Amino acid sequence: MISKYQVNMLDLEQITLKELEHGKGFLAVDEIGKMELTSRKFSDKIADCVLRPDVRIFGTIPIQKAGQKSHPVLDKLRSNNQFEVILVTKANRNSLADQVLSLLLDR
């Protein structure tokens, strides 16, 4: 349990692991966050997908706040130059669709 929320690990793993294992082309993952990464199986599979040349990932990750402990998978995603990280704010969240679509179509 993280804060007042929790993840049903059985559902998370039954639903997502199969898709992450066999998915090709494009994977949309909302979200790759603290709660989801408490599943070792999910964490390992996301890390594997990052290295697969046949998979493009569109997902959300939490921002790294000062003094907050990070996760190795999130560090790997943030530091990988193959990824475009876009900070979503209240000011820009409604205007990002065209930018994201352009990024997805260009790759």
Side-chain angles (χ1 to χ4, degrees):
M1 187 162 164
I2 307 280
S3 182
K4 62 183 178 180
Y5 303 101
Q6 64 184 15
V7 170
N8 181 322
M9 288 299 168
L10 183 61
D11 285 350
L12 172 76
E13 291 174 353
Q14 284 182 340
I15 294 167
T16 61
L17 293 179
K18 185 180 357 171
E19 293 301 320
L20 293 174
E21 178 72 31
H22 302 293
K24 288 188 171 56
F26 178 80
L27 292 173
V29 184
D30 181 41
E31 99 183 70
I32 305 168
K34 263 196 287 191
M35 289 189 294
E36 293 78 13
L37 292 171
T38 59
S39 164
R40 179 64 182 237
K41 291 177 183 178
F42 178 83
S43 176
D44 289 347
K45 192 53 63 184
I46 285 291
D48 290 345
C49 285
V50 168
L51 301 174
R52 288 177 47 192
D54 62 329
V55 174
R56 292 174 38 202
I57 299 174
F58 174 76
T60 61
I61 60 173
I63 61 170
Q64 179 66 43
K65 296 178 183 170
Q68 184 182 46
K69 185 178 176 187
S70 189
H71 189 282
V73 171
L74 294 175
D75 292 339
K76 184 183 284 189
L77 292 172
R78 288 185 188 108
S79 66
N80 188 321
N81 63 3
Q82 293 179 332
F83 295 103
E84 177 86 22
V85 177
I86 302 169
L87 181 62
V88 179
T89 66
K90 286 183 181 181
N92 74 0
R93 69 181 177 196
N94 293 327
S95 62
L96 289 176
D98 289 337
Q99 181 182 357
V100 170
L101 183 59
S102 176
L103 287 169
L104 294 173
L105 294 174
D106 287 346
R107 297 191 181 190

